[in-house]
Structures are given as structure tokens and as C-alpha cells.
Amino acid sequence: TGEQKEYLGEVQKASSQMASLLDTLLRVARLDEGGMMIERKTVDVVALLDGLFDEIRQGNRDSRLNFVSTLPKTKLLLSTDPVLLPIVVQNLVTNAMKYSPKGGNITIGMKEENGMLHITVTDEGVGIPPEEQERVFEKFFRAKNIRHMLTSGTGLGLYLSKRIMDSLGGRLSFVSEQGKGTVFTATIPKE
């Protein structure tokens, strides 16, 4: 019946969320134990991130958010882990989506400067309260201004992303203004 299908849909959604949580917990445990292997390959990082961003955009057409890419149009080769770097960017984009108002812009960009690649994800969301910004990369941390929002989250995405960037020889930083949005920057050496 229609009601049964609705229940099955809810069970499938909950199962998917649980699988995602378990996957994240396993990744965090591997990183904490030093057991996650970095497998560097030379990849066109523009194509890699453009494909990822387009996939997220296509999967969220009904979110009423605007997805804006300012990625370069030219090929840019980078020696990195082609699995781990997209996890970082996906975490940043999905966070931006969770905490942005309807009609808000989610922008991905990239620039090369002094041998470093800077990948940015910008939102026009709720921002992070200044008094809590130093805790953003802590395991299980969620800012008090988002706890009342009806969003799922474990407080592991940014922790995992920071650990991955550290493992790749890069860093993860942000600038945020409460009520106006946040810009996260993943910086990684080009070589």
C-alpha cells in the first residue's frame, strides 16, 4: 500500500544515514590510529571537484539553493589522494547546504598561489559564533546556534576533514561571521 511504501522509504533513509555515520566513524578511527593509507595519484583537480560539485547540485535540485562554481576552466594537475580530497570538499559543501537559507548561494572556487592550491567553499548561512570558532574542528562539536535547526549532523565532518587535510600535508581554515556566512579554505601544496 501507499502507507507501507512511505514507511519503507523512511526505513531506507534511516538505514542510509546510519551507514553513512558508521562509515564516518570508521574513517575517524582509522585516521586516529594512523591506519588510513594515503594513495597519491596525479589528478586533474578541476575536473575532480567540478564533477563532485555537479553531482551534489544534481542530487539537490529541490533544495532551493543556488550552486555557483568559480572553478578555473583549465586543467590543473595535483598529486593527491583522489578519494580523500573529495571527502573534504563534499563535507564542506554539505555543511554549507545544511546551514544556508533558501535562495542562498553555495560557491566553490579555487586559486593557485605560491605553489599552494586554495579550494574554497562559501555559504551565506548562519555562520559560526565567534566564541565557538576555536572548537569547530573538535570531534563531535556542533555550534549552539545550529542545534535548534532540524539538520542531521554528528560533529564529525569537520574533524574528519581537518585530519584528512593534515594527512595530505595541507590545512583547513575558515572565516565566519554570524548571520552572514562562512568561507572554508582547504589549502594543499601543489607538489
Side-chain angles (χ1 to χ4, degrees):
T1 68
E3 185 179 4
Q4 290 170 324
K5 287 179 183 177
E6 191 176 316
Y7 286 135
L8 283 174
E10 289 297 316
V11 168
Q12 184 177 15
K13 183 179 175 184
S15 296
S16 177
Q17 289 173 340
M18 185 61 68
S20 177
L21 173 61
L22 289 173
D23 182 55
T24 301
L25 288 169
L26 285 171
R27 288 178 194 272
V28 167
R30 283 189 203 116
L31 273 174
D32 286 346
E33 294 172 2
M36 184 169 278
M37 299 294 295
I38 305 296
E39 294 184 28
R40 290 186 183 275
K41 293 181 181 172
T42 300
V43 295
D44 177 359
V45 72
V46 174
L48 183 71
L49 297 183
D50 193 44
L52 173 67
F53 195 62
D54 192 52
E55 185 180 311
I56 294 170
R57 179 184 327 152
Q58 294 298 323
N60 292 281
R61 288 183 192 197
D62 61 342
S63 68
R64 290 186 256 149
L65 293 169
N66 302 309
F67 293 87
V68 180
S69 173
T70 61
L71 291 169
K73 301 295 180 211
T74 57
K75 187 178 205 178
L76 182 60
L77 298 179
L78 177 69
S79 176
T80 190
D81 189 305
V83 174
L84 295 179
L85 183 62
I87 289 171
V88 172
V89 175
Q90 183 169 13
N91 280 339
L92 298 178
V93 173
T94 55
N95 271 0
M97 291 167 53
K98 285 181 197 174
Y99 307 120
S100 290
K102 301 283 189 234
N105 293 321
I106 309 295
T107 306
I108 187 170
M110 182 182 347
K111 70 178 180 177
E112 186 182 357
E113 189 175 78
N114 299 326
M116 302 296 278
L117 195 62
H118 306 276
I119 302 164
T120 58
V121 175
T122 306
D123 68 56
E124 299 169 346
V126 297
I128 303 161
E131 66 276 8
E132 296 189 324
Q133 290 184 6
E134 64 187 32
R135 299 191 57 213
V136 163
F137 298 117
E138 289 179 11
K139 198 185 294 186
F140 302 114
F141 174 75
R142 293 189 78 206
K144 66 181 175 195
N145 66 332
I146 61 163
R147 288 186 207 133
H148 70 280
M149 298 174 78
L150 297 175
T151 60
S152 61
T154 59
L156 289 172
L158 290 175
Y159 172 80
L160 178 63
S161 296
K162 175 140 180 22
R163 293 296 309 269
I164 289 172
M165 288 308 297
D166 291 346
S167 297
L168 293 174
R171 70 180 185 276
L172 186 60
S173 59
F174 69 94
V175 176
S176 185
E177 189 173 344
Q178 195 168 357
K180 295 197 175 176
T182 304
V183 179
F184 275 93
T185 303
T187 303
I188 190 165
K190 212 174 154 228
E191 298 298 327

